[in-house]
Amino acid sequence: MSKGLLIVASGPSGVGKGTINRMMMERLSGIGYSVSVTTRSPRGGEVNGKDYFFVDKVAFFNMMNEDKLLEYAEVFGNYYGTPREYVEGELAAGRDVLLEIDVQGALQIKEKIPEAVTVFFSPPNMDELEKRLRGRATEEDDVVIRRLMDAAWELSQQNKYDYVLTNDDLNSCVDKYIEVIKKERGKRK
Ligand code: 5GP
C-alpha cells in the first residue's frame, strides 16, 4: 500500500505557523490536518473538533494510557497530543497529513517515524516575535514573557529539523514551504 507523507510543522508561538499552514493548505490539495487533543480551554472563536478536541485531564490521561496518542507534551501548563488513529489511517490510505505541534512533540515523531518531514518556522528575530506576541490582544503580559522564554528554547532546537524556514515575508515563506512539500512528495513517487 502506498504511504502518505507526514509533515510536522513547529515554530514558536507568534511566528505565524497557523497562518502559514492555512495558506499552504489553500494552495495544495490532498493534505489532512490532524486535530490535536488538548486540556487547554478554548479561546474565543475556537471550535471543538476543528481547532482542537477540548478534553479534561482525566480524558487526556486515559487516551495516553490506552496508547491512543502518537505523541504528547505539556506546553504552557496544558497537555497536548496527536490522536494516533486519524494519522495512521490517513497515511496508510496514502494521504498526506499535517501535524502542527510543538518541538517536544515533533522530536518524538521524528524518532518514531524517521521518514516524517519536519519543518521549523523561525521568526526573523526576537524583537519581531515579541512585537507579534504583544499584538495578540488575547495574551496577558506574563504570558507574553513566558512565551518568549519558551521561544528561545524552541529556537535552540531548530537544527534538529529537516527544514528551517524564516517567516520574514509571509508569501515567500509559504512559497518555500510549498516547494519543500512538492519536493518531498516527488521523492516518494
Ligand atoms: P496553542 O495553545 O497556542 O494553540 O498551542 C500551544 C503550542 O502547542 C503550539 O506550539 C502548538 O503547536 C502546540 N501543539 C498543538 N497541538 C499539539 C499536539 O498535539 N502535540 C504537541 N506536542 N504540541 C501541540
Side-chain angles (χ1 to χ4, degrees):
M1 199 192 293
S2 64
K3 272 200 91 190
L5 178 67
L6 181 58
I7 306 153
V8 184
S10 309
S13 178
V15 76
K17 57 188 186 297
T19 307
I20 295 166
N21 278 322
R22 249 190 322 276
M23 288 171 73
M24 177 280 284
M25 289 180 80
E26 277 166 17
R27 285 172 52 189
L28 284 185
S29 59
I31 300 176
Y33 181 79
S34 161
V35 178
S36 295
V37 184
T38 184
T39 61
R40 131 161 121 58
S41 314
R43 295 191 189 118
E46 284 183 332
V47 177
N48 188 33
K50 181 171 170 273
D51 299 290
Y52 284 104
F53 294 107
F54 296 99
V55 297
D56 61 20
K57 280 194 178 140
V58 173
F60 190 93
F61 288 129
N62 282 340
M63 287 186 81
M64 245 170 73
N65 290 334
E66 290 162 10
D67 202 27
K68 288 185 173 159
L69 300 175
L70 203 53
E71 61 73 35
Y72 55 84
E74 188 184 343
V75 187
F76 313 131
N78 295 304
Y79 293 92
Y80 296 81
T82 301
R84 176 190 296 282
E85 196 179 334
Y86 172 79
V87 176
E88 290 185 345
E90 292 295 290
L91 292 178
R95 289 186 289 268
D96 300 341
V97 177
L98 169 66
L99 308 185
E100 193 184 306
I101 62 176
D102 89 315
V103 170
Q104 307 167 72
L107 299 179
Q108 290 175 48
I109 295 283
K110 190 68 184 173
E111 203 165 301
K112 284 188 194 158
I113 311 173
E115 64 272 25
V117 175
T118 54
V119 182
F120 187 92
F121 294 106
S122 184
N125 53 60
M126 285 305 267
D127 287 351
E128 185 59 33
L129 189 70
E130 183 169 356
K131 223 190 307 173
R132 290 183 199 174
L133 280 175
R134 288 199 188 282
R136 279 193 185 176
T138 52
E139 314 294 7
E140 304 291 335
D141 210 47
D142 56 339
V143 174
V144 171
I145 291 164
R146 178 83 206 277
R147 291 197 171 204
L148 278 170
M149 284 165 65
D150 284 346
W153 178 78
E154 292 204 293
L155 289 170
S156 75
Q157 304 295 304
Q158 59 184 296
N159 61 335
K160 297 180 180 159
Y161 281 69
D162 298 319
Y163 297 93
V164 177
L165 301 176
T166 304
N167 184 17
D168 40 12
D169 174 79
L170 184 60
N171 285 312
S172 70
C173 184
V174 173
D175 286 345
K176 280 186 235 149
Y177 188 26
I178 286 174
E179 270 172 44
V180 163
I181 296 170
K182 284 185 174 164
K183 187 173 95 183
E184 292 292 335
R185 279 177 162 175
K187 279 191 202 166
R188 267 144 239 259
K189 288 231 170 80

